[in-house]
Amino acid sequence: MSTETAASEKKESGTYEGGCHCGYIKFAITLSPPLPEYKVLNCNCSACSHLGYLLVYPKATDVVWHNNGRERCSNYVFNSKRKDQMFCPKCGSSLGIDFHDFFKDHLYGISVRSLYGINLDELNYKKLDGMKLVEPAEDLSGHIWDEEKQEMK
């Protein structure tokens, strides 16, 4: 295969800087296809709705955490306990999901709301009825905390 053929077959990608509101957590992600062509997931499950997620799914190898940013994240787990909902412990910004033990390949679900300089009105969205399709297919809002035991269920 010639170098010219290999170059023409290489997928287009885009790299985007992001992080929390206060700047304590920063990262860069590379997406293929780039954001203008990417279908951002707009899910209505209880987590995505309450946490404000609009998700893209880079491989873990396509996410660069600056200054130990991943270790700086606070994590919230519920339901399967196999994915971390990532937040900034300083400003509370919701960053996305670490699917570390969920899929065969390690992926992140990064909220495009955490990317710097992105116009959400210019993106393409794919709607998902997560309220009906994501197990358990029900609204978990307000049903995770056990008031009697004073702990997460």
Side-chain angles (χ1 to χ4, degrees):
M1 177 184 298
S2 73
T3 307
E4 189 175 303
T5 305
S8 67
E9 290 179 6
K10 187 175 180 183
K11 292 183 179 179
E12 285 191 44
S13 63
T15 300
Y16 307 92
E17 294 290 327
C20 65
H21 188 260
C22 72
Y24 181 66
I25 297 169
K26 293 182 180 180
F27 56 85
I29 65 170
T30 300
L31 294 173
S32 181
L35 266 180
E37 289 87 40
Y38 200 103
K39 294 284 187 183
V40 176
L41 187 69
N42 182 0
C43 175
N44 69 352
C45 76
S46 62
C48 289
S49 295
H50 280 77
L51 303 175
Y53 291 154
L54 295 171
L55 297 172
V56 293
Y57 293 90
K59 293 178 184 175
T61 55
D62 291 331
V63 178
V64 175
W65 295 94
H66 305 308
N67 302 315
N68 296 314
R70 178 62 185 99
E71 289 79 17
R72 290 180 172 194
C73 291
S74 288
N75 301 304
Y76 166 61
V77 295
F78 70 101
N79 192 14
S80 71
K81 310 285 194 272
R82 293 172 44 216
K83 48 193 172 185
D84 295 338
Q85 314 296 318
M86 302 177 297
F87 297 87
C88 174
K90 305 292 185 191
C91 67
S93 293
S94 175
L95 303 169
I97 307 165
D98 185 344
F99 292 102
H100 52 83
D101 292 324
F102 201 77
F103 297 113
K104 180 183 171 197
D105 294 325
H106 185 188
L107 297 176
Y108 285 102
I110 299 292
S111 182
V112 294
R113 293 180 189 275
S114 67
L115 300 179
Y116 301 139
I118 301 298
N119 183 341
L120 297 176
D121 293 332
E122 294 177 353
L123 300 180
N124 297 303
Y125 296 93
K126 174 185 177 182
K127 292 205 176 255
L128 174 69
D129 190 358
M131 194 68 75
K132 292 180 183 168
L133 299 174
V134 177
E135 290 296 324
E138 62 182 289
D139 187 353
L140 296 176
S141 305
H143 301 287
I144 309 298
W145 180 254
D146 187 322
E147 192 63 40
E148 279 185 27
K149 294 180 181 176
Q150 291 292 296
E151 64 185 19
M152 301 293 275
K153 293 180 186 176

